[in-house]
Amino acid sequence: MDFLKELGFLAEGVSAVDWKMVAMWIIGAVLIFLAIKKDMEPALLLPMGFGAILVNLPFSAVAAEGEGIIAQLFKVGIEAGEAMPLLLFIGIGAMIDFGPLLANPKLFILGGAAQFGIFITMILAAMIGFPTNDAASIAIIGAADGPTSIMVAQRLMSNYVGPIMVVAYSYMALVPIVQPAVIKACTTKKERQIRMQYNAKQVPKALKIIFPIAVSIVAGLIAPGSLSLVGMLMFGNLLRECTVLGSLSETAQSSFSNIITLLLGLTISFQMKAAAFIRIETLIIMGLGLFAFVFDTFGGIMCAKIMNLFSKNKINPMVGAAGISAFPMASRVVEKMGIKEDPCNHLLMHAAGANVSGQIASAIVGGLIIGFIAG
């Protein structure tokens, strides 16, 4: 009799499967494939892909409201106070060296210009018909900054938190595919071959310690909504630069960041349930997110070109593309493209300066948007 009951439950589970669930299994499998075969952000895409399969099984216990482990991770780690994205920013801050940026402050401008696509996309999304809070949440995808996207979508109570999270992190992983195409479309071969000499002057230790404190104060004054992200980012950097907490800094950069990223990937999958994810709005969000990402890259490139009109020492426009927040992927893309165009032209340090500037700028822009929309 018990055996027959088990067979009945099995049949009930199989009959509960619909095409949307199967579609999410396929999406999960694609994410796993990209993580393993293509080595694209495996610490993030692998748990996201596996989690997408888990939460889309009939009567899934892991995603049960209030009981499932993934549901609980989402409630504690994201919904209650964005703890996971904020903790991840500590690790990212510990990885960042602001030396190249402080050695060449002009790169601050490129980081700001590479947020251009966010505002264009926000206007476009609103014109399409998305409410202002959703339009702003979708637009921030262009920064290619997962934690900022999560914070903005949550604070503005967007109706599309799940798709926004997934699309933001997916485009972060697709930086090496999307950016080269945009860069080549916006630059000439001669521009891509512009050589930049790196001034390896030593940035004083005192300046490196003062900088994260000063940035936190400025961000708190001009964009209070960004202080959570900027503050955690700068705290992580202070761990790195103070030199008295070496072991903690190394832990934040490695095992701590990896564990948080792994858990964040699983947690995000809670928002990948078929019923909420498989809808036309998700496809539109993917398109708008790509539009924002492309125009952020375009904004950084064009800013570098404009700066070259007034500067004796020319900036390779590819460095402007690194002004998006995706650290350190965007820097690596520019370095590889620079070497391909000219084996003797190393742009990594310049690109890293623009890249970390974009990391700060995207968090501040996110805070400004939260303040503006919520206000």
Side-chain angles (χ1 to χ4, degrees):
M1 195 68 176
D2 290 340
F3 177 69
L4 291 176
K5 286 182 179 179
E6 289 179 10
L7 281 179
F9 185 76
L10 177 61
E12 187 180 353
V14 172
S15 65
V17 174
D18 60 26
W19 71 268
K20 289 185 177 181
M21 290 182 179
V22 175
M24 292 307 301
W25 298 349
I26 294 171
I27 291 172
V30 169
L31 293 176
I32 293 171
F33 171 81
L34 292 174
I36 297 174
K37 188 69 176 179
K38 301 298 182 181
D39 195 29
M40 293 172 62
E41 296 298 310
L44 182 67
L45 293 191
L46 184 65
M48 274 178 62
F50 191 67
I53 295 172
L54 290 181
V55 301
N56 284 289
L57 291 169
F59 317 116
S60 174
V62 298
E65 292 287 348
E67 298 178 3
I69 178 62
I70 294 180
Q72 298 235 10
L73 282 173
F74 181 81
K75 184 176 181 180
V76 174
I78 293 180
E79 191 175 51
E82 303 104 22
M84 284 189 189
L86 294 177
L87 290 173
L88 182 59
F89 253 44
I90 295 176
I92 294 172
M95 298 177 196
I96 290 176
D97 179 7
F98 285 115
L101 178 61
L102 295 172
N104 186 6
K106 287 192 299 184
L107 298 176
F108 272 110
I109 301 173
L110 297 180
Q115 314 308 314
F116 169 76
I118 294 173
F119 300 100
I120 297 297
T121 306
M122 185 162 62
I123 295 170
L124 179 60
M127 290 174 64
I128 289 174
F130 284 100
T132 307
N133 63 322
D134 290 327
S137 301
I138 294 166
I140 206 72
I141 293 172
D145 185 341
T148 302
S149 297
I150 291 173
M151 187 184 78
V152 172
Q154 283 288 119
R155 296 277 180 91
L156 297 183
M157 294 182 288
S158 171
N159 297 303
Y160 306 102
V161 174
I164 288 169
M165 288 180 186
V166 175
V167 172
Y169 275 105
S170 297
Y171 285 150
M172 281 178 65
L174 292 175
V175 166
I177 295 175
V178 176
Q179 276 212 305
V182 179
I183 290 170
K184 287 185 177 181
C186 298
T187 59
T188 64
K189 187 174 182 65
K190 184 177 180 181
E191 287 175 328
R192 295 195 295 272
Q193 290 178 332
I194 292 176
R195 291 193 175 189
M196 295 178 67
Q197 299 299 320
Y198 179 63
N199 182 8
K201 65 180 181 182
Q202 190 69 30
V203 177
K205 178 182 175 181
L207 179 58
K208 286 190 172 186
I209 292 175
I210 292 171
F211 181 74
I213 300 171
V215 169
S216 298
I217 293 172
V218 172
L221 292 174
I222 66 173
S226 71
L227 191 56
S228 297
L229 283 174
V230 175
M232 293 302 100
L233 184 73
M234 292 301 128
F235 174 67
N237 186 251
L238 190 60
L239 285 179
R240 173 195 179 100
E241 300 300 346
C242 72
T243 68
V244 295
L245 296 171
S247 60
L248 283 176
S249 174
E250 291 173 8
T251 300
Q253 294 177 49
S254 54
S255 54
F256 178 78
S257 293
N258 290 334
I259 291 170
I260 295 296
T261 302
L262 198 72
L263 291 175
L264 187 59
L266 270 176
T267 304
I268 289 171
S269 69
F270 178 71
Q271 292 286 341
M272 296 178 73
K273 293 178 181 178
F277 196 86
I278 303 292
R279 47 182 175 170
I280 189 66
E281 289 87 353
T282 300
L283 293 176
I284 296 173
I285 289 169
M286 290 177 68
L288 288 170
L290 180 60
F291 179 88
F293 182 25
V294 167
F295 272 83
D296 270 3
T297 303
F298 173 79
I301 293 171
M302 296 312 295
C303 179
K305 288 188 175 190
I306 293 170
M307 290 172 68
N308 283 343
L309 297 176
F310 308 96
S311 177
K312 182 179 178 181
N313 297 319
K314 305 299 182 184
I315 298 173
N316 190 308
M318 292 194 295
V319 172
I324 64 168
S325 181
F327 177 84
M329 293 86 80
S331 306
R332 292 172 184 163
V333 166
V334 171
E335 168 70 359
K336 288 179 180 178
M337 291 188 71
I339 292 175
K340 187 175 180 180
E341 298 291 345
D342 179 354
C344 297
N345 190 19
H346 293 277
L347 300 170
L348 181 61
M349 299 308 289
H350 304 286
N355 206 178
V356 298
S357 172
Q359 189 86 60
I360 299 171
S362 67
I364 291 177
V365 167
L368 287 171
I369 288 175
I370 289 171
F372 176 73
I373 303 297

